[in-house]
Amino acid sequence: MAVTTKLDVLLHNINLDYFKDKTLTGRSKDQGYNYFTLGYIHSINLCEINANEVDIKAKCYRSMRKNEAPHKVNITVMKDEKIISDSNCTCVAGLSGTCSHVVGLVHTICHYQNLNLKEVPSELSATSFPQQWHKPRGRKIKAQPVVSMTLANPTTPTSERKRKPVFTEIPQVDLPGSSSSAILKLKEEDEIPLSYLLQENATTIDTRLGKVQTGSLLYFHVSKI
């Protein structure tokens, strides 16, 4: 029972249908596919137990704690019956045999076979995986008001900085031209194309710069002082 990385010991292309009577949740399918496309499945080894059974072992990086030890994934394939007779993982849901890490391993093996690879590659290029640009990344960078920003060289320790960091100081003054009469006068000027954004009857909010119209970005940038 020598361990190998050759894929031809499987004879047939495996897929999720090999789970047969086992139920896969939508979450395990989606997350498992993500593990495959992101290249989380690695260290794949195959072992031919007998003429009909092949044991496949692999590891899967943790999605939230990549610095911790990866999960160990194991599936046993019966070639003639075209089923996964046993599967497990070291994750919390691994005893069910249908966790997302197991699904990710099946997707990965299937992908290698569809590429007509003879054995498990040491590393695949990014172009060998399905494209990911259509998937939104979500909001990972949040907008911050100008008054909360400090500009400084992050590589220079604070004690060694020769210049003070640049930050915003907002004076306690009222903005000129924020009254209804001033806005009406502004709208009479033909050479000010942005004047249509101001409404003389709009509600206002108090800020450090005086009253500004509701929805103005100035409120966001100067209100948190």
Side-chain angles (χ1 to χ4, degrees):
M1 296 191 299
V3 175
T4 181
T5 57
K6 295 186 179 298
L7 296 168
D8 54 6
V9 297
L10 290 171
L11 296 183
H12 308 289
N13 286 16
I14 69 172
N15 52 56
L16 297 186
D17 292 337
Y18 270 49
F19 283 102
K20 295 298 181 182
D21 297 331
K22 293 184 178 180
T23 302
L24 298 175
T25 65
R27 178 181 174 83
S28 65
K29 289 180 181 179
D30 293 341
Q31 192 64 49
Y33 187 77
N34 286 337
Y35 288 145
F36 149 60
T37 57
L38 294 173
Y40 277 29
I41 308 296
H42 63 101
S43 302
I44 300 175
N45 289 302
L46 300 89
C47 179
E48 199 166 14
I49 301 174
N50 53 52
N52 189 38
E53 290 183 294
V54 176
D55 189 56
I56 305 175
K57 297 182 184 295
K59 295 180 180 179
C60 181
Y61 293 118
R62 296 172 183 257
S63 57
M64 302 300 292
R65 303 184 182 94
K66 292 184 181 179
N67 58 327
E68 295 186 7
H71 293 299
K72 296 180 180 179
V73 189
N74 181 80
I75 63 176
T76 301
V77 178
M78 298 186 71
K79 295 184 284 186
D80 294 340
E81 292 81 356
K82 295 184 179 180
I83 64 171
I84 293 175
S85 59
D86 186 34
S87 56
N88 58 77
C89 176
T90 55
C91 72
V92 176
L95 291 178
S96 67
T98 57
C99 70
S100 54
H101 309 103
V102 170
V103 174
L105 174 56
V106 174
H107 275 305
T108 303
I109 294 294
C110 179
H111 183 61
Y112 292 162
Q113 292 176 316
N114 289 336
L115 291 176
N116 294 319
L117 300 180
K118 300 301 181 183
E119 60 181 293
V120 176
S122 57
E123 185 176 356
L124 279 180
S125 64
T127 55
S128 297
F129 290 100
Q131 55 85 10
Q132 294 292 303
W133 55 262
H134 70 289
K135 296 184 179 181
R137 294 185 177 183
R139 296 187 62 181
K140 297 185 178 180
I141 300 178
K142 294 183 179 180
Q144 296 293 326
V146 171
V147 293
S148 68
M149 296 182 183
T150 301
L151 305 181
N153 188 341
T155 61
T156 304
T158 304
S159 59
E160 298 179 9
R161 287 176 181 163
K162 297 181 180 180
R163 296 182 179 180
K164 292 183 178 180
V166 178
F167 56 91
T168 304
E169 292 184 352
I170 305 296
Q172 184 72 51
V173 296
D174 289 343
L175 285 175
S178 58
S179 64
S180 297
S181 58
I183 292 173
L184 286 172
K185 184 176 181 180
L186 184 66
K187 285 178 174 291
E188 294 175 357
E189 301 290 337
D190 296 332
E191 297 180 358
I192 305 180
L194 296 180
S195 61
Y196 71 92
L197 295 175
L198 298 172
Q199 302 298 324
E200 63 274 10
N201 297 322
T203 57
T204 58
I205 305 175
D206 290 324
T207 70
R208 192 179 180 90
L209 295 176
K211 292 183 179 295
V212 298
Q213 292 193 2
T214 303
S216 171
L217 289 177
L218 279 175
Y219 175 73
F220 172 76
H221 285 294
V222 304
S223 62
K224 299 179 181 181
I225 300 178

